Each structure stands twice: as structure tokens, then as C-alpha cells.
Amino acid sequence: MLGILYLNGEYVAVDEARISVFDRGFMFGDGIYEVIPVYSGKLLRGKAHLSRLQDSLDAIEIPNPLAHAAWLKIISRLIENNYPNADSVIYLQLTRGTMARRDHAWPDDIEPNVLVTCSEQVYTAQDTATAGARAVVLQDTRWSDCYIKTTNLLPNALLLKKARDMDASEAILIRDNLAIEGSQSNLFIVKDEIVITPPKSRYMLGGITREIVIELCQQNNIICREKEIGEDELHQADEIWLSSSTREILPVVTLNRHAVGIGRPGIVWQQIIQLYQDYKLKVMRAPDG
Ligand code: PDD
């Protein structure tokens, strides 16, 4: 990763950024984050990401130190400096702040530590168009407030590691016999040409890519239902997709080593990924603002 980043009011070279070891994010995972995809220098749904950032801050009672316009200014400067007119990823992180010493409780006057980076986009949809992904089903070991985009990602990281050890690239998580989402993605299945995704709840992250997929289905006469998905239904799906800002809409071709549907990215996925690429093009061509 090259270029500059934003840390607590300053723009500094990436390898020169420093933060206290008493930062509560470092010691307790006490912070929240956002990941915004950037295509040709344009944010994809920047407003929705900043609004979800606010929701996460509200949920754990960290005050937002910056107004919407100030966030956009920082983001634009980093894109301009690091990856102008290219595809990249904006990462925003706020931790509760730095303590004088290690303490579970925090003082009233603590101020958040703010980090923004702009790094290279490492994934393109074409990467999976031919191959597809392998997934495994694992029990969801996370807490019960998964709608908060917290930096406390230890359960997610451990679940992903378990999936990797099983030669898969994502874990689909089960809670109370329901398929909820992936360790770093939202879940869609297709059964008899109907697209189904679990309804938003406290047990999953309300993904921005998920919203786009639902909208694209609605606008293009693809039936899409927000409905709970039983573990059995998951195994019987014709298609499984995983959506996220960094991997777009990923078709799953094996689940627990068994072929999903025809064992290749399905027909409805071909349709939705094309609609998604068209939508991205529209965003890239739109005037700023
Ligand atoms: N993660 N669910 C979880 C648990 C996630 O971590 C993510 C994204 C999503 C998809 O949300 P969105 O479409 O808004 O990216 C769902 C990001 C990319 C990450 O942690 O890097």
C-alpha cells in the first residue's frame, strides 16, 4: 500500500503513521469501520456507507467528530493522491480513543482516533466469473450485535481461518438452524429462479452491496424475497451468492465440497453480475456529487 493516509487530522505517509498502544481499538477492539469501493475514482454508494458508519457509531456511543462534507473531503483527497481515476478501496476506522492506562471503562472526555486509508482494489468480478468460490457451513460463534460494523472481528477471522483450513474461501454462518450471512459477506440463494436473502436483523450486517442487489432485482423483473433461509434450504439451493463491497457478487460453486446446482456460476448470477457491472458504469460516468 502506497501513498498517504489520514490519521487524526493529519495526512501522513502510510509507513510513518503512528498511534498509541493505549488506543482502545488496539487493546479492546473498541471501534467501528467502513469499507467503501471506489471505481474510476468514484465512490459506490458513499452516502449509504457514511450513514451506516453513523449507525455503528450511535450503536456503541462514539461521537462522530466529522460532518458529512468533511468526511467526503478527506476521502477525495486520499483518492486524488493515491489512486486518482482508478479503482480503489476506502477504509474508515474510528476507535473510542486513547486511554491514559489500560482500563475497561473509559473517561467521558475521551476523543475518537480517526483513520482513513485509500488502498489498491485487489479484486475484480472477472476473477470469479469462470471459477466461482468454495464455501463451507459453520455455526455462527459471533455475538448478538452483528449489525454493528465493529473492528472486533476475531470471531469472523477465526471462522474464515476454519473455512480456509477446509479449502474454502468463505464460511456461511448458521444460527438457530438459519443461514445468516458469510463471515465477511451477505448471503443470497436462488431456488426455482426466485432470489432469496435473509431479512435484516441484529444477527447480520446490513450490507450496502446487498441493498444494490435487491434494487437491481426489483428494477429488472427478477423476483427477490427477503425471507429467512433454513440450513436445509441452503443445501438445496440452485445458486448461492455472497455479496460484499470488496468482492461484489461472488457465486458459490461448492458447499461443503458438494456442487451447488450445476457446479458452475448459475444463470441468474450471470444476469445479476451484468446488471451490477452496468450499474457501476453508470456511477463512474455520473457527474460528481
Ligand atoms: N465486510 N457481512 C459481513 C459480516 C461483512 O463483514 C461484510 C463486508 C458484509 C457486506 O457488506 P457490504 O456489502 O456493505 O460490504 C456483510 C467488509 C467488506 C470487510 O469487512 O472488509
Side-chain angles (χ1 to χ4, degrees):
M1 190 174 149
L2 49 89
I4 56 168
L5 54 72
Y6 173 94
L7 181 63
N8 291 336
E10 287 177 39
Y11 294 89
V12 287
V14 166
D15 52 0
E16 282 169 19
R18 298 284 179 270
I19 191 150
S20 166
V21 294
F22 291 106
D23 167 64
R24 289 185 62 88
F26 181 63
M27 289 209 148
F28 297 109
D30 184 355
I32 60 96
Y33 74 105
E34 267 303 320
V35 177
I36 315 179
V38 181
Y39 295 103
S40 297
K42 296 268 178 66
L43 296 179
L44 194 73
R45 298 274 167 120
K47 212 167 158 187
H49 280 278
L50 287 173
S51 159
R52 188 174 63 187
L53 180 91
Q54 185 65 57
D55 292 345
S56 297
L57 288 171
D58 291 346
I60 66 166
E61 297 180 29
I62 291 179
N64 189 343
L66 295 165
H68 187 80
W71 282 112
L72 289 181
K73 217 165 137 186
I74 295 165
I75 291 168
S76 298
R77 179 153 169 194
L78 291 180
I79 294 172
E80 277 300 301
N81 194 88
N82 292 3
Y83 293 98
N85 307 315
D87 296 352
S88 62
V89 177
I90 290 288
Y91 176 77
L92 311 169
Q93 176 183 298
L94 290 100
T95 68
R96 194 172 304 277
T98 304
M99 303 165 286
R101 70 192 73 78
R102 184 175 181 277
D103 190 350
H104 284 61
W106 61 84
D108 288 341
D109 61 351
I110 195 164
E111 284 181 17
N113 284 320
V114 182
L115 169 70
V116 187
T117 67
C118 174
S119 54
E120 198 178 357
Q121 167 71 288
V122 287
Y123 168 81
T124 64
Q126 288 90 317
D127 292 346
T128 52
T130 44
R134 292 185 292 276
V136 288
V137 171
L138 294 176
Q139 288 301 315
D140 196 343
T141 51
R142 300 174 302 166
W143 69 337
S144 52
D145 285 337
C146 301
Y147 68 98
I148 304 171
K149 203 160 168 62
T150 169
T151 55
N152 202 323
L153 288 171
L154 181 60
N156 306 59
L158 291 174
L159 287 161
L160 183 63
K161 170 71 168 67
K162 219 176 206 178
R164 291 272 161 98
D165 290 346
M166 296 162 86
D167 195 31
S169 60
E170 179 60 303
I172 298 178
L173 308 177
I174 305 290
R175 194 188 288 250
D176 299 331
N177 301 317
L178 296 176
I180 305 291
E181 63 174 342
S183 77
Q184 49 180 345
S185 54
N186 286 120
L187 172 69
F188 289 81
I189 65 165
V190 180
K191 188 68 188 172
D192 301 329
E193 286 169 37
I194 295 173
V195 178
I196 305 168
T197 191
K200 280 213 259 186
S201 75
R202 68 182 305 152
Y203 299 123
M204 69 174 241
L205 185 77
I208 309 296
T209 321
R210 173 185 176 277
E211 294 295 332
I212 300 174
V213 172
I214 293 171
E215 283 173 30
L216 290 174
C217 286
Q218 284 164 351
Q219 290 159 9
N220 293 279
N221 298 321
I222 301 169
I223 300 170
C224 180
R225 298 204 174 118
E226 293 183 64
K227 176 172 119 19
E228 287 177 339
I229 299 172
E231 188 175 352
D232 294 352
E233 271 179 277
L234 178 70
H235 288 284
Q236 286 152 18
D238 299 329
E239 296 185 28
I240 299 176
W241 316 332
L242 298 166
S243 69
S244 77
S245 292
T246 44
R247 291 199 273 176
E248 303 189 339
I249 311 162
L250 193 60
V252 174
V253 293
T254 70
L255 185 68
N256 293 355
R257 295 181 187 269
H258 297 292
V260 175
I262 54 169
R264 289 192 307 276
I267 279 178
V268 190
W269 177 80
Q270 310 276 1
Q271 226 181 322
I272 198 75
I273 197 67
Q274 188 56 53
L275 292 167
Y276 195 80
Q277 301 311 316
D278 293 346
Y279 172 72
K280 274 165 52 185
L281 274 179
K282 230 166 69 186
V283 170
M284 286 182 233
R285 290 187 187 134
D288 285 330

PDB file of all heavy atoms in Angstrom, residues 1 4 22 55 61 126 135 142 173-174 198 223 242 248 258:
ATOM      1  N   MET A   1       0.846  -1.191   0.000  1.00  0.00           N
ATOM      2  CA  MET A   1       0.000   0.000   0.000  1.00  0.00           C
ATOM      3  C   MET A   1       0.884   1.245   0.000  1.00  0.00           C
ATOM      4  O   MET A   1       1.815   1.351   0.776  1.00  0.00           O
ATOM      5  CB  MET A   1      -0.845  -0.031   1.281  1.00  0.00           C
ATOM      6  CG  MET A   1      -1.921   1.000   1.317  1.00  0.00           C
ATOM      7  SD  MET A   1      -2.906   0.688   2.794  1.00  0.00           S
ATOM      8  CE  MET A   1      -3.394   2.329   3.166  1.00  0.00           C
ATOM      9  N   ILE A   4      -0.488   8.250   0.941  1.00  0.00           N
ATOM     10  CA  ILE A   4      -0.727   8.854   2.248  1.00  0.00           C
ATOM     11  C   ILE A   4      -2.016   8.306   2.857  1.00  0.00           C
ATOM     12  O   ILE A   4      -2.836   7.715   2.163  1.00  0.00           O
ATOM     13  CB  ILE A   4      -0.831  10.401   2.134  1.00  0.00           C
ATOM     14  CG1 ILE A   4      -1.921  10.804   1.124  1.00  0.00           C
ATOM     15  CG2 ILE A   4       0.511  11.016   1.748  1.00  0.00           C
ATOM     16  CD1 ILE A   4      -2.298  12.280   1.162  1.00  0.00           C
ATOM     17  N   PHE A  22      -2.124   2.474  23.840  1.00  0.00           N
ATOM     18  CA  PHE A  22      -3.290   2.556  24.724  1.00  0.00           C
ATOM     19  C   PHE A  22      -4.567   2.948  23.969  1.00  0.00           C
ATOM     20  O   PHE A  22      -5.569   3.304  24.568  1.00  0.00           O
ATOM     21  CB  PHE A  22      -3.015   3.506  25.903  1.00  0.00           C
ATOM     22  CG  PHE A  22      -2.010   2.942  26.854  1.00  0.00           C
ATOM     23  CD1 PHE A  22      -0.709   3.433  26.907  1.00  0.00           C
ATOM     24  CD2 PHE A  22      -2.344   1.882  27.681  1.00  0.00           C
ATOM     25  CE1 PHE A  22       0.236   2.887  27.770  1.00  0.00           C
ATOM     26  CE2 PHE A  22      -1.411   1.327  28.548  1.00  0.00           C
ATOM     27  CZ  PHE A  22      -0.112   1.830  28.595  1.00  0.00           C
ATOM     28  N   ASP A  55     -24.574   4.931  12.000  1.00  0.00           N
ATOM     29  CA  ASP A  55     -25.370   3.952  12.766  1.00  0.00           C
ATOM     30  C   ASP A  55     -24.474   3.138  13.705  1.00  0.00           C
ATOM     31  O   ASP A  55     -24.838   2.878  14.857  1.00  0.00           O
ATOM     32  CB  ASP A  55     -26.096   2.981  11.819  1.00  0.00           C
ATOM     33  CG  ASP A  55     -27.179   3.684  11.017  1.00  0.00           C
ATOM     34  OD1 ASP A  55     -27.572   4.811  11.375  1.00  0.00           O
ATOM     35  OD2 ASP A  55     -27.622   3.096   9.997  1.00  0.00           O
ATOM     36  N   GLU A  61     -22.064   4.346  20.941  1.00  0.00           N
ATOM     37  CA  GLU A  61     -21.927   5.651  21.598  1.00  0.00           C
ATOM     38  C   GLU A  61     -20.550   6.275  21.473  1.00  0.00           C
ATOM     39  O   GLU A  61     -19.946   6.707  22.461  1.00  0.00           O
ATOM     40  CB  GLU A  61     -22.360   5.543  23.070  1.00  0.00           C
ATOM     41  CG  GLU A  61     -23.826   5.173  23.193  1.00  0.00           C
ATOM     42  CD  GLU A  61     -24.283   5.056  24.640  1.00  0.00           C
ATOM     43  OE1 GLU A  61     -23.711   5.747  25.488  1.00  0.00           O
ATOM     44  OE2 GLU A  61     -25.201   4.261  24.889  1.00  0.00           O
ATOM     45  N   GLN A 126     -14.350 -10.344 -12.699  1.00  0.00           N
ATOM     46  CA  GLN A 126     -13.911 -11.327 -13.699  1.00  0.00           C
ATOM     47  C   GLN A 126     -13.142 -12.479 -13.048  1.00  0.00           C
ATOM     48  O   GLN A 126     -13.126 -13.589 -13.564  1.00  0.00           O
ATOM     49  CB  GLN A 126     -13.008 -10.669 -14.760  1.00  0.00           C
ATOM     50  CG  GLN A 126     -13.760  -9.760 -15.709  1.00  0.00           C
ATOM     51  CD  GLN A 126     -13.815  -8.332 -15.173  1.00  0.00           C
ATOM     52  OE1 GLN A 126     -14.051  -8.114 -13.993  1.00  0.00           O
ATOM     53  NE2 GLN A 126     -13.614  -7.357 -16.036  1.00  0.00           N
ATOM     54  N   ALA A 135     -17.453 -22.711  -0.529  1.00  0.00           N
ATOM     55  CA  ALA A 135     -17.862 -22.277   0.816  1.00  0.00           C
ATOM     56  C   ALA A 135     -18.142 -23.492   1.690  1.00  0.00           C
ATOM     57  O   ALA A 135     -18.414 -24.584   1.183  1.00  0.00           O
ATOM     58  CB  ALA A 135     -19.110 -21.396   0.722  1.00  0.00           C
ATOM     59  N   ARG A 142     -20.376 -15.665  16.597  1.00  0.00           N
ATOM     60  CA  ARG A 142     -20.262 -14.236  16.914  1.00  0.00           C
ATOM     61  C   ARG A 142     -21.257 -13.826  17.994  1.00  0.00           C
ATOM     62  O   ARG A 142     -22.136 -14.587  18.361  1.00  0.00           O
ATOM     63  CB  ARG A 142     -20.492 -13.419  15.644  1.00  0.00           C
ATOM     64  CG  ARG A 142     -19.488 -13.719  14.538  1.00  0.00           C
ATOM     65  CD  ARG A 142     -19.845 -13.012  13.264  1.00  0.00           C
ATOM     66  NE  ARG A 142     -21.181 -13.362  12.791  1.00  0.00           N
ATOM     67  CZ  ARG A 142     -21.850 -12.700  11.866  1.00  0.00           C
ATOM     68  NH1 ARG A 142     -21.331 -11.633  11.308  1.00  0.00           N
ATOM     69  NH2 ARG A 142     -23.053 -13.092  11.491  1.00  0.00           N
ATOM     70  N   LEU A 173     -22.594 -18.791   7.742  1.00  0.00           N
ATOM     71  CA  LEU A 173     -22.811 -18.959   9.172  1.00  0.00           C
ATOM     72  C   LEU A 173     -24.263 -19.301   9.509  1.00  0.00           C
ATOM     73  O   LEU A 173     -25.199 -18.713   8.974  1.00  0.00           O
ATOM     74  CB  LEU A 173     -22.387 -17.677   9.904  1.00  0.00           C
ATOM     75  CG  LEU A 173     -20.970 -17.197   9.546  1.00  0.00           C
ATOM     76  CD1 LEU A 173     -20.641 -15.891  10.258  1.00  0.00           C
ATOM     77  CD2 LEU A 173     -19.934 -18.266   9.885  1.00  0.00           C
ATOM     78  N   ILE A 174     -24.392 -20.276  10.430  1.00  0.00           N
ATOM     79  CA  ILE A 174     -25.714 -20.771  10.824  1.00  0.00           C
ATOM     80  C   ILE A 174     -25.976 -20.404  12.280  1.00  0.00           C
ATOM     81  O   ILE A 174     -25.133 -20.639  13.153  1.00  0.00           O
ATOM     82  CB  ILE A 174     -25.771 -22.326  10.701  1.00  0.00           C
ATOM     83  CG1 ILE A 174     -25.375 -22.781   9.296  1.00  0.00           C
ATOM     84  CG2 ILE A 174     -27.150 -22.857  11.122  1.00  0.00           C
ATOM     85  CD1 ILE A 174     -26.337 -22.463   8.194  1.00  0.00           C
ATOM     86  N   PRO A 198     -31.741 -13.377   3.467  1.00  0.00           N
ATOM     87  CA  PRO A 198     -32.319 -13.214   4.795  1.00  0.00           C
ATOM     88  C   PRO A 198     -32.676 -11.750   5.079  1.00  0.00           C
ATOM     89  O   PRO A 198     -31.964 -10.855   4.630  1.00  0.00           O
ATOM     90  CB  PRO A 198     -31.201 -13.684   5.743  1.00  0.00           C
ATOM     91  CG  PRO A 198     -30.330 -14.546   4.903  1.00  0.00           C
ATOM     92  CD  PRO A 198     -30.395 -13.980   3.523  1.00  0.00           C
ATOM     93  N   ILE A 223     -37.529 -11.832  -9.417  1.00  0.00           N
ATOM     94  CA  ILE A 223     -38.227 -11.896  -8.121  1.00  0.00           C
ATOM     95  C   ILE A 223     -37.194 -12.067  -7.017  1.00  0.00           C
ATOM     96  O   ILE A 223     -36.352 -12.976  -7.062  1.00  0.00           O
ATOM     97  CB  ILE A 223     -39.240 -13.068  -8.073  1.00  0.00           C
ATOM     98  CG1 ILE A 223     -40.282 -12.886  -9.180  1.00  0.00           C
ATOM     99  CG2 ILE A 223     -39.936 -13.135  -6.713  1.00  0.00           C
ATOM    100  CD1 ILE A 223     -41.172 -14.107  -9.362  1.00  0.00           C
ATOM    101  N   LEU A 242     -22.559 -14.621  -2.622  1.00  0.00           N
ATOM    102  CA  LEU A 242     -22.110 -13.868  -1.449  1.00  0.00           C
ATOM    103  C   LEU A 242     -21.802 -12.446  -1.908  1.00  0.00           C
ATOM    104  O   LEU A 242     -21.075 -12.259  -2.886  1.00  0.00           O
ATOM    105  CB  LEU A 242     -20.855 -14.516  -0.857  1.00  0.00           C
ATOM    106  CG  LEU A 242     -21.076 -15.957  -0.365  1.00  0.00           C
ATOM    107  CD1 LEU A 242     -19.746 -16.645  -0.106  1.00  0.00           C
ATOM    108  CD2 LEU A 242     -21.943 -15.970   0.886  1.00  0.00           C
ATOM    109  N   GLU A 248     -17.853  -7.839  -4.620  1.00  0.00           N
ATOM    110  CA  GLU A 248     -19.051  -7.692  -5.454  1.00  0.00           C
ATOM    111  C   GLU A 248     -20.035  -8.845  -5.204  1.00  0.00           C
ATOM    112  O   GLU A 248     -20.457  -9.025  -4.066  1.00  0.00           O
ATOM    113  CB  GLU A 248     -18.645  -7.557  -6.914  1.00  0.00           C
ATOM    114  CG  GLU A 248     -17.701  -6.365  -7.090  1.00  0.00           C
ATOM    115  CD  GLU A 248     -17.402  -6.011  -8.519  1.00  0.00           C
ATOM    116  OE1 GLU A 248     -17.566  -6.857  -9.407  1.00  0.00           O
ATOM    117  OE2 GLU A 248     -16.995  -4.853  -8.744  1.00  0.00           O
ATOM    118  N   HIS A 258     -19.738 -30.204  -1.916  1.00  0.00           N
ATOM    119  CA  HIS A 258     -20.753 -30.692  -2.868  1.00  0.00           C
ATOM    120  C   HIS A 258     -21.090 -29.584  -3.857  1.00  0.00           C
ATOM    121  O   HIS A 258     -21.169 -28.413  -3.486  1.00  0.00           O
ATOM    122  CB  HIS A 258     -22.029 -31.121  -2.137  1.00  0.00           C
ATOM    123  CG  HIS A 258     -21.812 -32.264  -1.199  1.00  0.00           C
ATOM    124  ND1 HIS A 258     -21.515 -33.527  -1.647  1.00  0.00           N
ATOM    125  CD2 HIS A 258     -21.820 -32.324   0.152  1.00  0.00           C
ATOM    126  CE1 HIS A 258     -21.358 -34.331  -0.605  1.00  0.00           C
ATOM    127  NE2 HIS A 258     -21.531 -33.615   0.508  1.00  0.00           N
TER     128      HIS A 258
END
